[in-house]
Amino acid sequence: ASLRDLLDPEALARTEADLQSLSPQRQARTLEEVSDLLRRLGPLSTAEVAARTTDQASVDDWLTELAGQRRLVAVRIAGEAQWAAVEDAARLRDALGVALPVGTPAAFTEPVPDPLGDLLSRYTRTRGPFTAAEAGQRFGLGIAVVTAALRRLVDAGRVNVGEFRPITAGGQPSSEEFCDSEVLRILRRRSLAALRSEVEPVTGEEFARFLPAWQNVGSRLRGGDGVLRVVEQLAGVVVPASAWESLVLPARVGDYTGALLDELMSSGEVTWRGHGSLPGDDGWVSLHISDTAPLTQAPTPAWDGDDDIESRLLAVLAAGGAYFFRRLCDAAELTDDGAAATAIWGLVWAGLVTNDTLAPLRALTSGRAAHRPTRTPRPVRGSAGGRLRGLAAGAGGHPLGAPPRMPSRAGPPTMAGRWSIVPAAVTDPTVRAAAAAEVFLDRYGVVTRGSVVAEDAPGGFAAVYRVLSGFEDAGRVRRGYFVEHLGAAQFATSGAVDRLRGAAPLTVASGLILAATDPANPYGAALAWPPSVGSGGRPGRKAGAIVVLVDGMLSLYVERGGRSVVSFVEDTEVLETAARTLATTVRGPALGRVTLTRIDGIDALDVRSPVTDALEVAGFSATPRGLRVTG
C-alpha cells in the first residue's frame, strides 16, 4: 500500500505523540502511572521516562522505589541503560540476550513462546510507521532478524507494510515501512478529518461555474477522441435525442460533426439506447461506450407487450445478429412498412432495440423535436438532386405519419442502419453501484445527493453512498462540505477539489447556454432552482428547455418552443451578457427560430423591464408575434 500522499503530517505527529504518551493529556502523573507507562511502552531510559511525566523532578525517586519493590528491572539494551517492567524480563532475556539483575523473581523468568514477536508487536502498537532498521536499532538487532519477525506479524494481519510516512514528515522515497493495522486506521481517520476541516465550502454559483469546465464544455476537445471522451464521461445520461447533436456534443467538441459519432458507432466503440418517447418526433436517448455499456445502462426491462408485430420483430432480433430494415421485415414476415417501422420505434423507446448508427434518430428528429436545430434546406422540386434523393429515399412510410414516398428496398430514412437487440446489462447490485460511483466521480467531480437522485441511479443515493464511503476509507476520494447548502454527504477526488477551490473570482464576462437536461447544468439537480424575478413558468429539467448561465449564475430559462423566458437576476450587465449569448446561439444552427411571446409571465409586447431592454440591446426586436432576433 502507498498512502504517503494521503496521511496528514500533523495528524501523524499528533497520533505518535498520543501513542508514546508525549502529549500533555497522556503523560504520567504518579508513581503508579509510571509503572503502567513502562508496561505499555516497553523499556525506556530515565530521560525518556522523564519526557513522559508531568513531574520530572520526582522521576528518579519513582524509578528507584519501583525497582526496590521488584516491579522494575534495570537492563542494558543496545548498549543503553534502560528501565523495564519486570513482566518483560523473560522476553528481554530470550529475544535480546539481556542479562537480568540478581533477585529477579523466578515467576517472571519462565520462557515465553515468541519473545521477539511480543516485543515487536508492542513496538508497532505504540508508534507510527517505522522501518525495520529503526526497530533493529532500538533493540540492538540486525535488520534481517527484525524483518523476518515483522513479516510474521504482516502474515497474521496485525501489521501493514508499504509506504506510509509523508516525505515532509521524514519519510524516505521507496522505503519499506511497517505500521500496526489499528494505528493505520487511526491515522487515516484523523487525516480524513483534517482534509475535511481544511476545505471551506464554495457557493452554488462557483460550483455551477466549475461543473461545465469539468465536463469540457467550451470546445476544448477535438475529433473522434474528443467525442469518445465525452461519451465516456456522459455514459448513461438520458437526454432528448434532438439535444445530443444540437447542444450537448457541440458544446464540448469544438469541431463536432455527425460523421465523428457515426465513425465511432460503425467501428463498434459507441452505442445508444432509447428510454421513452417524447411529444412530437423525439425521445429520451443515452450514449454508451460499448465495452462498458453493460455497466452504464439500465437492466433491460422484461417484454410484456401483446402487440403481434412487435413480438415477431423481437423474436427475430432476440435470436442474435443485426438486420437492415427490409431484411428484418422479411424475417418477421411483415409486409406493411409503416406498421413495422412504428413497431420498431416502440421497441426502441421501450429500451429493447437499438441501431448501429444515429441516422434513423436524425431522420426522426428532423420534424417536431424537443430541440429544433436549423435544418439544411431540401433540394428544390424538379432539380436533379431532388429527383435523385426522392428516388433513393423511397416512400416506405414514416412511423409517425410523414408523407408517403415511393417504395424502396432500403426502407424509409427513419429505418436506416442495422437494428439489433440491446445487450444485456449487469444485474448484480454491488457491481452496478460500484460502476455508478466511478461514473459519477468522473462526470461531476463533486458527487452530491441531488446529482445522483436526478439521474435515478440504481439503488438510489444510498447504494452509491456506501461505495463512495469505501472509496474514502481506501484513500481514493474525500468526503466533506465542498459546496454550501448541499449537506455533508459530498464526495470528490483531490483533483476536483483543487479545481473547485482554485477557480478565479466571479466576473461577468461571458455566458453559456445549455440544454436544461444537460448534466453540466447543476440547477434542478445538485442545486435548487433559484427564485425567479417575475411570476413566469416554473423551471424544470424538461426536454426542449434551455438555460443561460453567466459565470455560474442562472440568468435566463427558455421554455420548450422558445416562446417563454423566465429571468432570475436583475443586474443589467448580467442580463445583457445572457441576452447576447441567447441571440448568438439563435443565429447559429443549434436552436433554430426563437420568438419570445412571454417574459416572466407577461406578454412580451406589453412589458418594459431590464430583461426586454437587454434583449433589444442583443438584437431582439418586436414583431407582431413577439420578440425575434434580427440581423
Side-chain angles (χ1 to χ4, degrees):
S2 179
L3 302 179
R4 200 184 297 282
D5 296 332
L6 300 177
L7 297 185
D8 181 71
E10 293 184 5
L12 174 59
R14 187 173 72 254
T15 302
E16 289 184 314
D18 289 344
L19 294 173
Q20 281 289 307
S21 295
L22 291 169
S23 53
Q25 67 273 20
R26 300 291 182 93
Q27 290 183 330
R29 294 165 295 179
T30 65
L31 177 144
E32 292 298 330
E33 290 184 359
V34 168
S35 178
D36 292 338
L37 182 74
L38 288 163
R39 279 198 299 268
R40 189 173 66 254
L41 299 183
L44 298 172
S45 66
T46 301
E48 290 173 334
V49 173
R52 291 162 173 79
T53 59
T54 57
D55 186 3
Q56 297 184 2
S58 302
V59 169
D60 288 334
D61 294 337
W62 287 343
L63 292 173
T64 301
E65 184 176 350
L66 289 169
Q69 297 174 2
R70 303 290 179 89
R71 297 166 65 183
L72 297 184
V73 292
V75 296
R76 293 191 69 84
I77 300 176
E80 183 182 9
Q82 298 186 27
W83 296 94
V86 69
E87 292 85 353
D88 287 335
R91 295 183 180 87
L92 296 174
R93 180 197 63 199
D94 297 342
L96 308 181
V98 170
L100 300 180
V102 177
T104 302
F108 298 110
T109 61
E110 294 293 332
V112 295
D114 186 11
L116 181 57
D118 292 346
L119 294 176
L120 286 174
S121 180
R122 179 173 58 193
Y123 184 87
T124 64
R125 294 195 306 269
T126 56
R127 51 191 26 83
F130 63 92
T131 63
E134 292 170 339
Q137 184 178 10
R138 179 70 184 181
F139 292 112
L141 295 173
I143 296 178
V145 175
V146 173
T147 300
L150 288 171
R151 287 290 179 183
R152 291 199 299 271
L153 297 176
V154 172
D155 294 339
R158 295 160 60 185
V159 174
N160 293 83
V161 62
E163 299 177 1
F164 305 117
R165 187 175 295 275
I167 300 298
T168 55
Q172 299 298 319
S174 302
S175 64
E176 184 180 68
E177 296 171 333
F178 298 87
C179 187
D180 181 80
S181 298
E182 182 59 32
V183 171
L184 186 59
R185 277 193 288 270
I186 294 172
L187 288 173
R188 289 164 67 177
R189 186 166 60 247
R190 290 185 173 182
S191 297
L192 288 172
L195 287 173
R196 293 171 191 164
S197 64
E198 288 176 0
V199 180
E200 294 182 4
V202 302
T203 64
E205 287 80 7
E206 289 176 295
F207 178 64
R209 187 158 50 98
F210 152 83
L211 187 56
W214 179 263
Q215 293 189 9
N216 299 297
V217 173
S219 302
R220 294 185 299 172
L221 300 175
R222 293 290 186 275
D225 289 341
V227 176
L228 195 63
R229 171 58 188 143
V230 173
V231 175
E232 179 184 40
Q233 193 172 43
L234 303 187
V237 170
V238 179
V239 174
S242 57
W244 275 111
E245 294 193 290
S246 61
L247 290 171
V248 177
L249 290 171
R252 293 162 169 81
V253 183
D255 58 350
Y256 179 78
T257 62
L260 294 174
L261 187 56
D262 287 342
E263 182 178 354
L264 293 173
M265 287 190 168
S266 62
S267 63
E269 294 186 74
V270 173
T271 185
W272 63 272
R273 182 180 181 181
H275 296 268
S277 61
L278 285 167
D281 303 338
D282 208 346
W284 297 101
V285 168
S286 62
L287 299 181
H288 305 266
I289 301 295
S290 298
D291 290 342
T292 58
L295 293 172
T296 57
Q297 69 181 12
T300 305
W303 169 248
D304 57 358
D306 55 3
D307 184 280
D308 178 63
I309 297 179
E310 291 183 356
S311 299
R312 290 159 67 181
L313 290 168
L314 198 59
V316 173
L317 294 173
Y323 293 80
F324 287 107
F325 174 72
R326 186 63 57 203
R327 186 175 171 218
L328 177 59
C329 289
D330 293 344
E333 299 180 353
L334 300 175
T335 56
D336 187 337
D337 285 358
T342 301
I344 289 175
W345 280 109
L347 295 173
V348 168
W349 299 134
L352 298 170
V353 171
T354 186
N355 196 289
D356 64 353
T357 176
L358 277 188
L361 269 178
R362 293 191 189 107
L364 183 68
T365 58
S366 64
R368 299 170 296 126
H371 294 272
R372 299 179 299 171
T374 301
R375 296 183 293 277
T376 303
R378 294 181 179 178
V380 177
R381 178 177 292 183
S383 67
R387 289 192 297 272
L388 289 175
R389 286 173 183 263
L391 291 173
H398 192 286
L400 297 176
R405 301 181 182 181
M406 293 179 62
S408 164
R409 185 64 187 166
T414 56
M415 292 289 105
R418 293 178 297 180
W419 300 94
S420 60
I421 206 77
V422 170
V426 173
T427 57
D428 186 295
T430 302
V431 176
R432 292 193 62 82
E438 296 279 8
V439 169
F440 285 132
L441 284 171
D442 184 35
R443 184 174 303 151
Y444 295 108
V446 179
V447 180
T448 65
R449 176 186 295 273
S451 298
V452 177
V453 171
E455 290 200 22
D456 195 21
F461 183 69
V464 177
Y465 178 88
R466 286 192 293 271
V467 176
L468 291 174
S469 295
F471 287 175
E472 182 194 24
D473 293 339
R476 292 185 53 192
V477 301
R478 301 184 190 178
R479 174 169 49 180
Y481 190 52
F482 305 119
V483 184
E484 62 182 11
H485 308 311
L486 298 186
Q490 303 176 36
F491 297 85
T493 61
S494 298
V497 173
D498 293 341
R499 285 183 61 177
L500 178 66
R501 295 184 53 76
L506 290 174
T507 57
V508 183
S510 60
L512 176 66
I513 195 163
L514 296 169
T517 55
D518 193 317
N521 167 37
Y523 292 99
L527 303 177
W529 294 102
S532 59
V533 172
S535 57
R538 298 179 60 183
R541 298 178 71 86
K542 306 172 184 176
I546 59 174
V547 295
V548 183
L549 309 182
V550 178
D551 283 328
M553 293 177 284
L554 179 61
S555 304
L556 299 177
Y557 174 89
V558 183
E559 295 274 8
R560 174 176 178 170
R563 294 183 175 85
S564 175
V565 62
V566 180
S567 64
F568 300 89
V569 295
E570 297 183 273
D571 184 274
T572 301
E573 188 177 2
V574 174
L575 285 173
E576 288 182 354
T577 300
R580 283 197 303 271
T581 302
L582 179 60
T584 301
T585 308
V586 169
R587 292 189 181 101
L591 295 182
R593 181 175 299 178
V594 170
T595 302
L596 301 176
T597 59
R598 298 186 69 80
I599 297 176
D600 290 326
I602 304 175
D603 192 289
L605 300 180
D606 295 338
V607 61
R608 295 301 308 176
S609 69
V611 180
T612 55
D613 293 341
L615 291 170
E616 289 180 357
V617 170
F620 283 83
S621 59
T623 69
R625 291 189 174 183
L627 297 181
R628 181 181 296 176
V629 172
T630 58

